[in-house]
Structures are given as structure tokens and as C-alpha cells.
Amino acid sequence: MPAATEYRYNRLTWPEINDAVAAQKLVILPTGSTEQHGAHLPLDVDVFLCESVCLEVGRRAPDKVLVLPPIAYGLNLHHIDFPGTIHIEPETFIAFCLNITKSVAYHGFKKILLVNGHGSNQPLIDLVARKTVLATESLCFATGYFLFLLEKFKEIRETEIIAHADEFETSLYLHLAPERVQMDKAVADNDRMGEFTSSDSTGNYPVRFNDFWGRWTRTGVHGDPTKATAEKGKIVFEAAVSGLVALVDELRAWPIEKRADMHKLPVQSQIRW
Ligand SMILES: [Zn+2]
């Protein structure tokens, strides 16, 4: 039955989607961006890396997941001084993604997972997941694929900063498509850092802040891509994929309890938020 072996959502027909709903496959939505990533990487880094990880999760668990076509655009106005970057307003992004998760829920899928590959989308997909839970009878979870490889990357990394077009992203791209990485153009760069604040809000700063990148970098890089290798990329790819495959099992088994109502008197259940 195709629904048991096909992991790409839009390769199924509508009768096969009925089978996939009956099997309660977890539906994955990858989210990325079209954004400058220094002079050495193409604009598709965030969406290409994220989708590649999600599709490999699908290949390894084809009976458990369906991967939707990715969102290739995100919140990016802070990168707009660099040619090619596409920006989507956060409200538009949230509304667009929510329409997708609600459609998936409408068809009967009970578990949805948003897997993000673009840092600035992270607070937005958190909201999409929460709004989906509150508006539907399905459960929607949000994560970033990079969260599943950090521990492994700590063992092999040569530089401190994990941010943008850096050692990590460049390594992963080198593993997946080395012919598209121009390592001769890779340079290291850093953001502006104070005691409590940094201009790219990366790391453990207590203040969240993201300045226009045109104010503090001329390269568009945050981190050191010159230390990137395909070998490191292979290790972190494996870590991300195996972590997410384990997450799939956890989420598919997550119970959807009946809500208990603690009111003594009738509530105004017609109210809609
Ligand atoms: Zn990136």
C-alpha cells in the first residue's frame, strides 16, 4: 500500500491520504528561508538543510511519517541589506503555516511536527504549534533540526559560535552538496557583543535582540566556516536524523487525553477566541 511506504505527503493520491490518516502517520512540515548565507553558500541553506534532514527521516521511517513540501521563506528583514534575501512578515508567516496545519488536522491527522531550519522562524513556529493545538483536535509540536545535533557537534567543533553560515551549516552543506559550496570564499566574522546583549542574540545572552545585519557585518557570516568539513557534516546529519526518528516514535505515542472541565456552573462555550 503506497501510504505505508511513501513518505512524501504530496506524492500520495487522495484515496491514499485516507490510508495514511487511518495509519495515523505523523505529518512533518519543514520550515526554512531564502536568505543570504555569506559569499560561500547559496541562499537556500536553511530550507535545503532542513528539508534534507526531514526527507531522510521519512526514508528511515516511511511507515510512520509524511513530509510536506517545505516552507522556503521566513522572517528575514534583518538580512535585507544583502541581495537576494526574501522577507515574510511574521504575522503572514504564522497565518500561512497555521492554514497548513489546520488543513492537515482537518483531514484527520492527529499529530503534526514543525521542523525548523531558520533561527528567526523559531518563535513563530512555536506559536503556530500552540495555535494549532488550541484550534483543532490534533496535537502540533515545534522543534528545530539543529537542536538534535548540538551535543554531537560539541564533540567535533573547532569554533565556539553556532550562528549563521558558520562551521556547522557549512559542514552540513559540504556533506549534502559539496559542489554548491565555494570554500575559497569562506571567511569568519562575528557580531557585536556587550555584557548582556549581542546583535545576533546568539548564545546565552539574557537580552533578546536582533539588529539589521547591514549594521554590523559586511560578510553576512556569523561564525567561522573556514573550519567546516564534509566529515563533520556527515556526523551532525546522522545525529539530527536519528534524533528526529526517535522523536517521531515519542510523538506518535503521545496521548491525546479528553479535557476535564473543572467549572461548577455552565461555561459560555459559544465564545471563540
Ligand atoms: Zn542558516
Side-chain angles (χ1 to χ4, degrees):
M1 178 160 31
T5 53
E6 177 56 69
Y7 55 89
R8 290 160 297 187
Y9 184 96
N10 61 356
R11 293 289 173 93
L12 295 180
T13 63
W14 69 257
E16 291 161 358
I17 286 286
N18 279 336
D19 298 335
V21 170
Q24 275 306 312
K25 295 182 96 174
L26 174 93
V27 177
I28 294 177
L29 176 62
T31 59
S33 70
T34 299
E35 164 193 65
Q36 75 82 15
H37 270 77
H40 68 293
L41 287 169
L43 304 177
D44 72 350
V45 172
D46 290 350
V47 67
F48 172 62
L49 301 184
C50 183
E51 187 186 25
S52 299
V53 167
C54 291
L55 289 175
E56 185 60 25
V57 171
R59 269 179 223 110
R60 295 196 197 174
D63 54 328
K64 297 173 183 170
V65 305
L66 284 178
V67 182
L68 283 159
I71 307 289
Y73 308 100
L75 195 174
N76 279 103
L77 198 60
H78 51 300
H79 282 274
I80 208 73
D81 296 325
F82 293 83
T85 299
I86 305 286
H87 168 64
I88 304 295
E89 282 290 282
E91 295 80 6
T92 307
F93 180 92
I94 290 171
F96 190 83
C97 290
L98 193 57
N99 279 187
I100 295 170
T101 58
K102 279 184 174 174
S103 300
V104 166
Y106 183 87
H107 296 305
F109 291 103
K110 288 284 175 13
K111 306 284 176 61
I112 304 163
L113 174 63
L114 310 172
V115 178
N116 182 40
H118 171 54
S120 298
N121 286 348
Q122 204 66 33
L124 310 185
I125 67 154
D126 286 355
L127 285 174
V128 172
R130 294 177 64 153
K131 284 167 90 73
T132 306
V133 171
L134 300 176
T136 73
E137 289 171 12
S138 301
L139 298 187
C140 185
F141 308 83
T143 190
Y145 80 87
F146 40 85
L147 298 171
F148 288 85
L149 55 78
L150 288 180
E151 227 157 280
K152 206 81 203 154
F153 187 57
K154 271 183 199 150
E155 295 169 14
I156 54 171
R157 70 184 189 180
E158 293 174 72
T159 60
E160 268 307 297
I161 306 286
I162 301 175
H164 182 80
D166 51 8
E167 181 187 3
F168 146 64
E169 282 190 328
T170 308
S171 293
L172 198 44
Y173 215 122
L174 280 171
H175 167 58
L176 293 167
E179 69 282 2
R180 302 209 293 265
V181 183
Q182 302 177 52
M183 278 307 278
D184 55 316
K185 297 194 177 122
V187 292
D189 202 354
N190 222 332
D191 66 338
R192 182 168 292 129
M193 290 169 283
E195 189 183 347
F196 308 110
T197 315
S198 95
S199 50
D200 185 27
S201 64
T202 308
N204 298 321
Y205 289 91
V207 177
R208 301 303 296 167
F209 170 59
N210 215 299
D211 206 350
F212 276 104
W213 282 45
R215 285 187 170 136
W216 56 266
T217 171
R218 298 292 175 268
T219 67
V221 172
H222 184 189
D224 186 358
T226 66
K227 299 290 190 295
T229 67
E231 292 68 36
K232 290 176 189 166
K234 188 177 190 314
I235 292 168
V236 294
F237 182 76
E238 197 51 46
V241 170
S242 54
L244 284 167
V245 167
L247 176 67
V248 166
D249 286 334
E250 176 171 318
L251 300 186
R252 289 185 79 230
W254 200 270
I256 305 180
E257 302 271 5
K258 208 176 169 324
R259 286 166 57 199
D261 185 354
M262 266 52 89
H263 295 90
K264 259 189 173 168
L265 298 173
V267 296
Q268 297 184 44
S269 61
Q270 82 285 0
I271 294 177
R272 291 288 174 267
W273 280 271

